[in-house]
Amino acid sequence: MPPGPDFYLGGRTEFKTVDFDGRIRSCFVQEEFRSPTGAGSDDPRHFLRVRVEPDFPGAEGSHPEIVLSERHGGTDLTNLGDDWIYVYVYEIANAQQLRNGRIIEGALLFNTIGEVARMRSLLPRSPEELFERNFQLLQGFVERTGHVDVPEGHREQGELLATWLSNVRRSQLLGELPADWARRLEALPGWRWLPGDDFFLLDRYARREGNTDVPPEHREDGRPLGAWVRLQRHDYRKGVVDPRTRVRLEAIPHWHW
């Protein structure tokens, strides 16, 4: 019997893609190499050239070579245990140049961020799987309590439902929530989008208090509004704030960076 794959590759938790084209890839390691310090990077990078099955999506009729590199601070791929880690997924044009540490000449083409694990079952849930799981838990909560107001920190069969709901509402606010998911949530008794809208809560706070200097520990309708405001300003100083977030914040009375 031929040996099994070294890893399984998915792209499950990024907004950009889900399992690439709906399938998890089996990864067979062909080669391992590291780029030396100073070869186009401030630190040595660890790469694995892999064969994937089924073929990775690429140009019609081609079979692009795929390289995985663990993200900074991640576990070394070659010592991966019973866990999953994020990886960068690249296509390469010239593996020999990459072996020699010439990253630019190797023509790395960034594809996406994925996850790898030794077993399929260790990969994180896809967004669809996560939604179905948590929606069922939310339905159980509603049937038991008669409402959708999940208390902060409440766990339902181990899942932090309030945190998930906050993320769902934020996705809806940014226009990223699938329409059918929104319709299913809106069909629940007492459902409303408002509590998860941090922008609304900040606007209300600003009009009430006359400023947007929210104390870091302040909570508004159970939401950690002070911590959220602090995060937005931190992201702005780092230059990574979402442009849509910036527009909405600057429309709030008394807002300042």
Side-chain angles (χ1 to χ4, degrees), residues 21-255:
D21 60 354
R23 291 177 291 182
I24 294 173
R25 260 71 187 174
S26 298
C27 293
F28 299 84
V29 176
Q30 306 295 295
E31 189 174 11
E32 175 184 0
F33 44 93
R34 295 178 183 269
S35 64
T37 301
S41 178
D42 292 334
D43 62 315
R45 296 297 303 277
H46 177 207
F47 297 95
L48 292 179
R49 184 170 65 88
V50 300
R51 185 182 86 250
V52 293
E53 296 178 0
D55 287 336
F56 200 83
E60 186 174 353
S62 71
H63 300 277
E65 288 195 279
I66 302 301
V67 168
L68 307 179
S69 175
E70 67 267 14
R71 294 180 71 176
H72 295 292
T75 303
D76 193 313
L77 278 166
T78 53
N79 294 314
L80 186 62
D82 293 336
D83 199 0
W84 62 269
I85 63 168
Y86 283 118
V87 293
Y88 294 113
V89 182
Y90 299 97
E91 296 174 25
I92 55 172
N94 193 321
Q96 185 59 52
Q97 294 282 15
L98 195 60
R99 290 186 200 102
N100 295 336
R102 300 188 180 97
I103 295 176
I104 295 176
E105 291 85 348
L108 283 180
L109 175 62
F110 177 70
N111 188 291
T112 190
I113 295 174
E115 296 86 38
V116 296
R118 296 287 186 188
M119 296 185 292
R120 286 175 178 266
S121 60
L122 294 175
L123 285 170
R125 295 189 182 101
S126 70
E128 289 82 0
E129 291 168 336
L130 186 63
F131 179 84
E132 291 298 334
R133 160 74 172 169
N134 285 338
F135 185 77
Q136 290 176 13
L137 294 177
L138 181 60
Q139 283 182 311
F141 178 88
V142 171
E143 291 171 2
R144 190 172 66 252
T145 65
H147 62 82
V148 293
D149 300 323
V150 182
E152 189 77 22
H154 172 76
R155 289 184 180 272
E156 193 83 2
Q157 295 185 28
E159 299 287 346
L160 282 168
L161 272 189
T163 300
W164 175 73
L165 287 172
S166 293
N167 292 335
V168 163
R169 286 171 167 134
R170 177 169 175 77
S171 294
Q172 171 72 359
L173 181 66
L174 296 175
E176 296 171 345
L177 192 72
D180 60 319
W181 294 7
R183 285 192 293 269
R184 291 172 66 184
L185 289 164
E186 289 165 352
L188 295 172
W191 178 263
R192 58 189 183 277
W193 293 107
L194 192 58
D197 188 340
D198 293 309
F199 297 95
F200 170 84
L201 296 176
L202 180 59
D203 184 272
R204 187 177 70 182
Y205 178 96
R207 295 177 188 279
R208 184 181 71 236
E209 303 294 334
N211 65 73
T212 56
D213 300 321
V214 186
E217 70 282 356
H218 178 76
R219 303 181 77 86
E220 192 86 3
D221 285 1
R223 293 281 299 161
L225 186 64
W228 180 78
V229 168
R230 184 178 183 180
L231 176 62
Q232 307 317 307
R233 290 180 170 133
H234 175 266
D235 285 351
Y236 176 79
R237 289 192 297 272
K238 292 183 64 178
V240 296
V241 70
D242 189 307
R244 295 168 297 183
T245 298
R246 178 172 180 170
V247 168
R248 294 208 60 181
L249 285 171
E250 291 178 349
I252 293 174
H254 312 294
W255 177 258

Side-chain angles (χ1 to χ4, degrees), residues 1-8 26-28:
M1 178 180 293
D6 298 286
F7 303 104
Y8 290 96
S26 298
C27 293
F28 299 84

